Short mmCIF file of all heavy atoms in Angstrom, two decimals:
data_model
loop_
_atom_site.label_atom_id
_atom_site.label_comp_id
_atom_site.label_asym_id
_atom_site.label_seq_id
_atom_site.Cartn_x
_atom_site.Cartn_y
_atom_site.Cartn_z
N ALA A 11 -8.00 18.47 2.12
CA ALA A 11 -7.35 19.77 2.12
C ALA A 11 -6.00 19.67 2.67
O ALA A 11 -5.05 20.31 2.09
CB ALA A 11 -8.25 20.73 2.95
N ALA A 12 -5.77 18.96 3.72
CA ALA A 12 -4.44 18.76 4.30
C ALA A 12 -3.54 18.06 3.29
O ALA A 12 -2.36 18.38 3.14
CB ALA A 12 -4.47 17.95 5.60
N PHE A 13 -4.06 17.02 2.66
CA PHE A 13 -3.31 16.33 1.59
C PHE A 13 -2.91 17.30 0.52
O PHE A 13 -1.78 17.25 0.02
CB PHE A 13 -4.11 15.13 1.09
CG PHE A 13 -3.41 14.37 0.01
CD1 PHE A 13 -2.36 13.54 0.22
CD2 PHE A 13 -3.86 14.58 -1.33
CE1 PHE A 13 -1.73 12.88 -0.79
CE2 PHE A 13 -3.21 13.90 -2.39
CZ PHE A 13 -2.14 13.03 -2.08
N GLN A 14 -3.82 18.09 0.05
CA GLN A 14 -3.53 18.97 -1.02
C GLN A 14 -2.50 20.03 -0.63
O GLN A 14 -1.56 20.33 -1.46
CB GLN A 14 -4.80 19.79 -1.55
CG GLN A 14 -4.54 20.67 -2.69
CD GLN A 14 -5.74 21.16 -3.41
OE1 GLN A 14 -6.84 20.43 -3.38
NE2 GLN A 14 -5.66 22.25 -4.08
N THR A 15 -2.50 20.52 0.63
CA THR A 15 -1.49 21.35 1.04
C THR A 15 -0.06 20.73 0.98
O THR A 15 0.88 21.31 0.53
CB THR A 15 -1.77 21.82 2.52
OG1 THR A 15 -3.03 22.59 2.51
CG2 THR A 15 -0.71 22.79 3.08
N TRP A 16 -0.03 19.42 1.49
CA TRP A 16 1.29 18.76 1.45
C TRP A 16 1.62 18.58 -0.05
O TRP A 16 2.82 18.77 -0.44
CB TRP A 16 1.16 17.30 2.03
CG TRP A 16 2.30 16.45 1.66
CD1 TRP A 16 3.52 16.45 2.26
CD2 TRP A 16 2.33 15.55 0.63
NE1 TRP A 16 4.35 15.57 1.60
CE2 TRP A 16 3.62 14.97 0.57
CE3 TRP A 16 1.42 15.14 -0.39
CZ2 TRP A 16 4.08 13.99 -0.34
CZ3 TRP A 16 1.82 14.16 -1.28
CH2 TRP A 16 3.10 13.63 -1.26
N ALA A 17 0.78 18.21 -0.94
CA ALA A 17 1.04 17.98 -2.30
C ALA A 17 1.59 19.27 -3.02
O ALA A 17 2.42 19.14 -3.82
CB ALA A 17 -0.25 17.47 -3.05
N GLU A 18 0.96 20.37 -2.65
CA GLU A 18 1.43 21.63 -3.29
C GLU A 18 2.89 21.93 -2.91
O GLU A 18 3.65 22.50 -3.76
CB GLU A 18 0.51 22.81 -2.91
CG GLU A 18 -0.80 22.73 -3.61
CD GLU A 18 -1.85 23.72 -3.04
OE1 GLU A 18 -1.61 24.36 -2.07
OE2 GLU A 18 -2.92 23.79 -3.73
N ARG A 19 3.27 21.56 -1.74
CA ARG A 19 4.66 21.77 -1.27
C ARG A 19 5.62 20.72 -1.82
O ARG A 19 6.78 21.03 -2.08
CB ARG A 19 4.73 21.72 0.23
CG ARG A 19 4.30 22.99 0.95
CD ARG A 19 4.76 22.96 2.42
NE ARG A 19 4.52 21.70 3.10
CZ ARG A 19 3.59 21.37 3.90
NH1 ARG A 19 2.69 22.23 4.19
NH2 ARG A 19 3.49 20.25 4.49
N SER A 20 5.12 19.50 -1.97
CA SER A 20 6.05 18.38 -2.30
C SER A 20 6.00 17.86 -3.69
O SER A 20 7.14 17.48 -4.23
CB SER A 20 5.75 17.29 -1.33
OG SER A 20 5.95 17.68 -0.03
N ILE A 21 4.79 17.65 -4.31
CA ILE A 21 4.76 17.06 -5.64
C ILE A 21 5.27 17.99 -6.65
O ILE A 21 4.82 19.08 -6.86
CB ILE A 21 3.34 16.59 -5.91
CG1 ILE A 21 2.92 15.52 -4.94
CG2 ILE A 21 3.21 16.17 -7.35
CD1 ILE A 21 1.49 14.98 -5.16
N GLY A 22 6.34 17.56 -7.31
CA GLY A 22 6.97 18.45 -8.35
C GLY A 22 8.17 19.12 -7.92
O GLY A 22 8.74 19.96 -8.62
N ASP A 23 8.69 18.82 -6.71
CA ASP A 23 9.95 19.33 -6.20
C ASP A 23 11.00 18.98 -7.31
O ASP A 23 11.13 17.81 -7.58
CB ASP A 23 10.27 18.80 -4.82
CG ASP A 23 11.67 19.23 -4.38
OD1 ASP A 23 12.64 18.65 -4.75
OD2 ASP A 23 11.73 20.21 -3.60
N GLU A 24 11.60 19.98 -7.90
CA GLU A 24 12.48 19.70 -9.08
C GLU A 24 13.59 18.71 -8.71
O GLU A 24 13.90 17.82 -9.47
CB GLU A 24 13.02 20.99 -9.61
CG GLU A 24 12.00 21.84 -10.35
CD GLU A 24 12.65 23.10 -10.89
OE1 GLU A 24 13.75 23.06 -11.36
OE2 GLU A 24 11.92 24.11 -10.86
N ALA A 25 14.26 19.07 -7.59
CA ALA A 25 15.44 18.20 -7.25
C ALA A 25 15.09 16.79 -7.00
O ALA A 25 15.68 15.78 -7.43
CB ALA A 25 16.20 18.87 -6.11
N TRP A 26 14.03 16.61 -6.12
CA TRP A 26 13.64 15.25 -5.73
C TRP A 26 13.05 14.46 -6.94
O TRP A 26 13.49 13.36 -7.12
CB TRP A 26 12.53 15.36 -4.61
CG TRP A 26 11.90 14.18 -4.23
CD1 TRP A 26 12.37 12.87 -4.32
CD2 TRP A 26 10.54 14.00 -3.67
NE1 TRP A 26 11.48 11.95 -3.81
CE2 TRP A 26 10.37 12.63 -3.42
CE3 TRP A 26 9.55 14.91 -3.32
CZ2 TRP A 26 9.13 12.14 -2.92
CZ3 TRP A 26 8.37 14.43 -2.82
CH2 TRP A 26 8.20 13.07 -2.59
N THR A 27 12.25 15.19 -7.76
CA THR A 27 11.69 14.49 -8.93
C THR A 27 12.84 14.06 -9.88
O THR A 27 12.86 12.92 -10.38
CB THR A 27 10.64 15.37 -9.64
OG1 THR A 27 9.61 15.73 -8.70
CG2 THR A 27 10.12 14.75 -10.89
N ALA A 28 13.79 14.98 -10.15
CA ALA A 28 14.84 14.71 -11.06
C ALA A 28 15.70 13.53 -10.55
O ALA A 28 16.12 12.59 -11.34
CB ALA A 28 15.75 15.92 -11.28
N LEU A 29 15.96 13.50 -9.26
CA LEU A 29 16.71 12.34 -8.70
C LEU A 29 16.00 11.04 -8.87
O LEU A 29 16.54 10.04 -9.28
CB LEU A 29 17.06 12.65 -7.20
CG LEU A 29 17.82 11.48 -6.47
CD1 LEU A 29 19.15 11.19 -7.17
CD2 LEU A 29 18.03 11.84 -5.05
N GLU A 30 14.71 11.03 -8.54
CA GLU A 30 13.90 9.79 -8.67
C GLU A 30 13.86 9.34 -10.17
O GLU A 30 14.12 8.12 -10.36
CB GLU A 30 12.46 10.02 -8.17
CG GLU A 30 12.29 10.32 -6.75
CD GLU A 30 12.01 9.09 -5.91
OE1 GLU A 30 12.12 7.93 -6.44
OE2 GLU A 30 11.73 9.32 -4.71
N VAL A 31 13.68 10.23 -11.00
CA VAL A 31 13.59 9.84 -12.49
C VAL A 31 14.98 9.33 -12.97
O VAL A 31 15.09 8.34 -13.64
CB VAL A 31 13.02 10.98 -13.27
CG1 VAL A 31 13.14 10.69 -14.87
CG2 VAL A 31 11.56 11.28 -12.97
N GLU A 32 16.01 10.11 -12.68
CA GLU A 32 17.30 9.73 -13.14
C GLU A 32 17.76 8.42 -12.55
O GLU A 32 18.29 7.56 -13.30
CB GLU A 32 18.33 10.87 -12.68
CG GLU A 32 19.78 10.57 -13.19
CD GLU A 32 20.80 11.61 -12.75
OE1 GLU A 32 20.44 12.51 -11.83
OE2 GLU A 32 21.92 11.55 -13.22
N PHE A 33 17.55 8.20 -11.27
CA PHE A 33 17.96 6.93 -10.68
C PHE A 33 17.18 5.80 -11.27
O PHE A 33 17.75 4.76 -11.61
CB PHE A 33 17.88 7.02 -9.19
CG PHE A 33 18.48 5.82 -8.51
CD1 PHE A 33 19.84 5.61 -8.54
CD2 PHE A 33 17.77 4.92 -7.79
CE1 PHE A 33 20.47 4.54 -7.94
CE2 PHE A 33 18.31 3.86 -7.18
CZ PHE A 33 19.66 3.63 -7.27
N ALA A 34 15.89 5.95 -11.38
CA ALA A 34 15.06 4.85 -11.91
C ALA A 34 15.41 4.59 -13.39
O ALA A 34 15.46 3.45 -13.79
CB ALA A 34 13.59 5.24 -11.84
N THR A 35 15.77 5.58 -14.14
CA THR A 35 16.14 5.41 -15.55
C THR A 35 17.48 4.58 -15.57
O THR A 35 17.61 3.65 -16.43
CB THR A 35 16.31 6.76 -16.24
OG1 THR A 35 15.01 7.39 -16.19
CG2 THR A 35 16.70 6.54 -17.71
N ASN A 36 18.40 4.98 -14.72
CA ASN A 36 19.70 4.22 -14.67
C ASN A 36 19.48 2.80 -14.19
O ASN A 36 20.25 1.90 -14.57
CB ASN A 36 20.72 4.93 -13.77
CG ASN A 36 21.22 6.18 -14.42
OD1 ASN A 36 21.27 6.34 -15.57
ND2 ASN A 36 21.70 7.08 -13.54
N ALA A 37 18.52 2.53 -13.35
CA ALA A 37 18.25 1.24 -12.74
C ALA A 37 17.90 0.19 -13.76
O ALA A 37 18.04 -0.99 -13.52
CB ALA A 37 17.21 1.35 -11.67
N ARG A 38 17.41 0.65 -14.92
CA ARG A 38 16.90 -0.38 -15.87
C ARG A 38 18.01 -1.31 -16.31
O ARG A 38 17.79 -2.38 -16.83
CB ARG A 38 16.28 0.29 -17.10
CG ARG A 38 17.26 1.06 -18.01
CD ARG A 38 16.45 1.68 -19.09
NE ARG A 38 17.38 2.23 -20.20
CZ ARG A 38 18.08 3.32 -20.03
NH1 ARG A 38 17.97 4.06 -19.00
NH2 ARG A 38 18.84 3.72 -21.09
N ARG A 39 19.29 -0.92 -16.08
CA ARG A 39 20.49 -1.70 -16.62
C ARG A 39 20.86 -2.71 -15.52
O ARG A 39 21.70 -3.60 -15.77
CB ARG A 39 21.60 -0.86 -16.91
CG ARG A 39 21.31 0.01 -18.10
CD ARG A 39 22.55 0.83 -18.47
NE ARG A 39 22.32 1.81 -19.54
CZ ARG A 39 21.93 3.04 -19.32
NH1 ARG A 39 21.91 3.58 -18.13
NH2 ARG A 39 21.72 3.85 -20.38
N ASP A 40 20.33 -2.60 -14.26
CA ASP A 40 20.80 -3.40 -13.17
C ASP A 40 19.60 -4.10 -12.47
O ASP A 40 18.78 -3.53 -11.87
CB ASP A 40 21.53 -2.53 -12.19
CG ASP A 40 22.16 -3.31 -11.05
OD1 ASP A 40 21.66 -4.43 -10.69
OD2 ASP A 40 23.19 -2.79 -10.48
N PRO A 41 19.52 -5.44 -12.71
CA PRO A 41 18.36 -6.18 -12.15
C PRO A 41 18.29 -6.04 -10.60
O PRO A 41 17.17 -6.02 -10.13
CB PRO A 41 18.62 -7.63 -12.60
CG PRO A 41 19.58 -7.57 -13.71
CD PRO A 41 20.38 -6.28 -13.58
N HIS A 42 19.42 -6.01 -9.95
CA HIS A 42 19.42 -5.87 -8.51
C HIS A 42 18.75 -4.53 -8.09
O HIS A 42 17.90 -4.56 -7.17
CB HIS A 42 20.78 -6.06 -7.91
CG HIS A 42 20.82 -5.73 -6.40
ND1 HIS A 42 20.31 -6.59 -5.45
CD2 HIS A 42 21.33 -4.72 -5.76
CE1 HIS A 42 20.46 -6.09 -4.31
NE2 HIS A 42 21.05 -4.87 -4.39
N VAL A 43 19.19 -3.48 -8.70
CA VAL A 43 18.69 -2.14 -8.30
C VAL A 43 17.22 -2.03 -8.70
O VAL A 43 16.39 -1.48 -7.95
CB VAL A 43 19.49 -1.04 -8.92
CG1 VAL A 43 18.91 0.34 -8.66
CG2 VAL A 43 20.96 -1.08 -8.43
N ARG A 44 16.83 -2.61 -9.85
CA ARG A 44 15.41 -2.62 -10.28
C ARG A 44 14.55 -3.35 -9.23
O ARG A 44 13.49 -2.91 -8.81
CB ARG A 44 15.30 -3.28 -11.67
CG ARG A 44 15.65 -2.33 -12.72
CD ARG A 44 15.61 -3.09 -14.07
NE ARG A 44 14.18 -3.34 -14.38
CZ ARG A 44 13.84 -4.00 -15.48
NH1 ARG A 44 14.73 -4.37 -16.38
NH2 ARG A 44 12.50 -4.26 -15.74
N ALA A 45 15.11 -4.47 -8.76
CA ALA A 45 14.34 -5.24 -7.72
C ALA A 45 14.25 -4.43 -6.42
O ALA A 45 13.18 -4.43 -5.82
CB ALA A 45 15.12 -6.58 -7.45
N GLU A 46 15.28 -3.71 -6.08
CA GLU A 46 15.23 -2.90 -4.89
C GLU A 46 14.18 -1.81 -4.99
O GLU A 46 13.35 -1.50 -4.10
CB GLU A 46 16.59 -2.34 -4.55
CG GLU A 46 17.63 -3.30 -4.06
CD GLU A 46 17.29 -3.81 -2.64
OE1 GLU A 46 16.78 -3.02 -1.84
OE2 GLU A 46 17.57 -4.98 -2.43
N LEU A 47 14.22 -1.13 -6.18
CA LEU A 47 13.23 -0.05 -6.41
C LEU A 47 11.82 -0.61 -6.45
O LEU A 47 10.88 -0.02 -5.94
CB LEU A 47 13.58 0.67 -7.69
CG LEU A 47 14.72 1.64 -7.67
CD1 LEU A 47 15.00 2.20 -9.08
CD2 LEU A 47 14.42 2.77 -6.67
N ALA A 48 11.62 -1.82 -7.06
CA ALA A 48 10.28 -2.40 -7.14
C ALA A 48 9.84 -2.75 -5.70
O ALA A 48 8.62 -2.53 -5.48
CB ALA A 48 10.37 -3.71 -8.00
N ALA A 49 10.73 -3.22 -4.85
CA ALA A 49 10.28 -3.59 -3.53
C ALA A 49 9.85 -2.32 -2.78
O ALA A 49 8.87 -2.31 -2.03
CB ALA A 49 11.43 -4.24 -2.77
#
């Protein structure tokens, strides 16, 4: 129940999600950044 409460507040935050997706998508061109994200 506590986890679900956190999830309802956090999972799907538009700004955070967009940043994660945009940065990860851009990272595909840079092996160093990909390695950092993978770690």
Side-chain angles (χ1 to χ4, degrees):
F13 176 75
Q14 184 164 335
T15 299
W16 167 83
E18 287 170 352
R19 280 194 319 257
S20 300
I21 293 180
D23 175 277
E24 288 181 39
W26 173 26
T27 302
L29 177 59
E30 293 267 9
V31 170
E32 181 183 10
F33 189 68
T35 302
N36 285 337
R38 74 183 188 279
R39 296 183 185 96
D40 185 331
H42 172 72
V43 176
R44 283 177 65 181
E46 289 291 326
L47 285 174

